[in-house]
Amino acid sequence: MLRRRARRGQEAVRGGDDPLDAAQERRVRAVLALGGVPQSDLPDGVQQVRLRLLERAASGREAPRDVSAWVAVVASNLAMDWHRARRRQERLGERLAALREPAHPSGEETSLLSLAVARGLDGLPAAQRQVVVLRFFADLSVRGIAEELGIPEGTVKSRLHTAVRVLRDRLHEDEVV
């Protein structure tokens, strides 16, 4: 029986009919739903599986041996992709919200933080202080800093990493941050 279904699925892909029979479509919907895809997005997921099956046939590749198993795997991958895209959107929304509503510390807090950062910068070696100022105050890219100073990008990154770590540690020690 399974072989007959698989053959029927292969013939449908080759023959131009709907490549998914009703049972396969139900399986795709079930896998997507169990994967956490909301009901409203299930029809799109089924269409994506159908499209991938048709694209596979159109590219000249052999039809899957077991179409039902293949569509279940593709549906599972689509569910994972859906979650990744949702998380990406959430992170983007958080970043945009942070840009729209910047936290405005009081004048006293800003002054204290500025003094602490200035003291921290004074304590850095000249090469590290230079790359920090160029990166965060002059807003140059790592590549731009490397070109301006005539040093490799890796050196710029290394100096930045070390300097930021030292500054962060000092600000935490002073209980400023």
Side-chain angles (χ1 to χ4, degrees):
M1 177 131 157
L2 286 177
R3 287 187 185 184
R4 188 171 43 210
R5 268 195 215 150
R7 247 185 272 125
R8 200 171 43 223
Q10 290 172 350
E11 291 167 6
V13 170
R14 287 189 207 111
D17 297 333
D18 187 357
L20 297 178
D21 64 22
Q24 292 165 341
E25 185 172 333
R26 282 192 306 274
R27 176 179 253 184
V28 168
R29 285 179 177 276
V31 169
L32 290 171
L34 289 170
V37 176
Q39 287 292 112
S40 60
D41 290 342
L42 292 182
D44 290 338
V46 171
Q47 286 299 89
Q48 282 294 320
V49 171
R50 188 174 278 125
L51 178 64
R52 291 196 184 165
L53 191 56
L54 290 171
E55 286 173 340
R56 181 183 172 108
S59 70
R61 290 188 302 183
E62 188 176 314
R65 201 172 30 187
D66 183 357
V67 176
S68 293
W70 187 88
V71 297
V73 170
V74 171
S76 176
N77 290 339
L78 284 173
M80 287 190 303
D81 291 345
W82 184 87
H83 285 288
R84 285 186 193 117
R86 193 185 84 219
R87 279 196 301 269
R88 205 172 16 252
Q89 282 298 113
E90 288 171 357
R91 285 193 308 266
L92 179 62
E94 290 167 2
R95 287 173 54 198
L96 288 174
L99 289 174
R100 272 187 254 126
E101 303 169 12
H104 294 291
S106 69
E108 185 178 324
E109 289 175 8
T110 303
S111 298
L112 180 63
L113 184 59
S114 296
L115 286 172
V117 169
R119 258 184 277 152
L121 283 172
D122 287 342
L124 291 175
Q128 289 178 358
R129 183 174 48 250
Q130 185 179 33
V131 295
V132 167
V133 168
L134 290 174
R135 177 66 186 107
F136 297 110
F137 294 99
D139 201 30
L140 289 179
S141 66
V142 170
R143 176 175 282 153
I145 295 169
E147 289 171 359
E148 288 295 320
L149 299 179
I151 59 176
E153 288 182 39
T155 303
V156 173
K157 291 177 185 179
S158 174
R159 289 178 185 174
L160 275 172
H161 175 78
T162 303
V164 168
R165 189 181 68 233
V166 168
L167 282 173
R168 185 182 308 120
D169 291 345
R170 285 186 186 159
L171 291 174
H172 282 291
E173 283 174 10
D174 296 342
E175 295 181 7
V176 175
V177 182

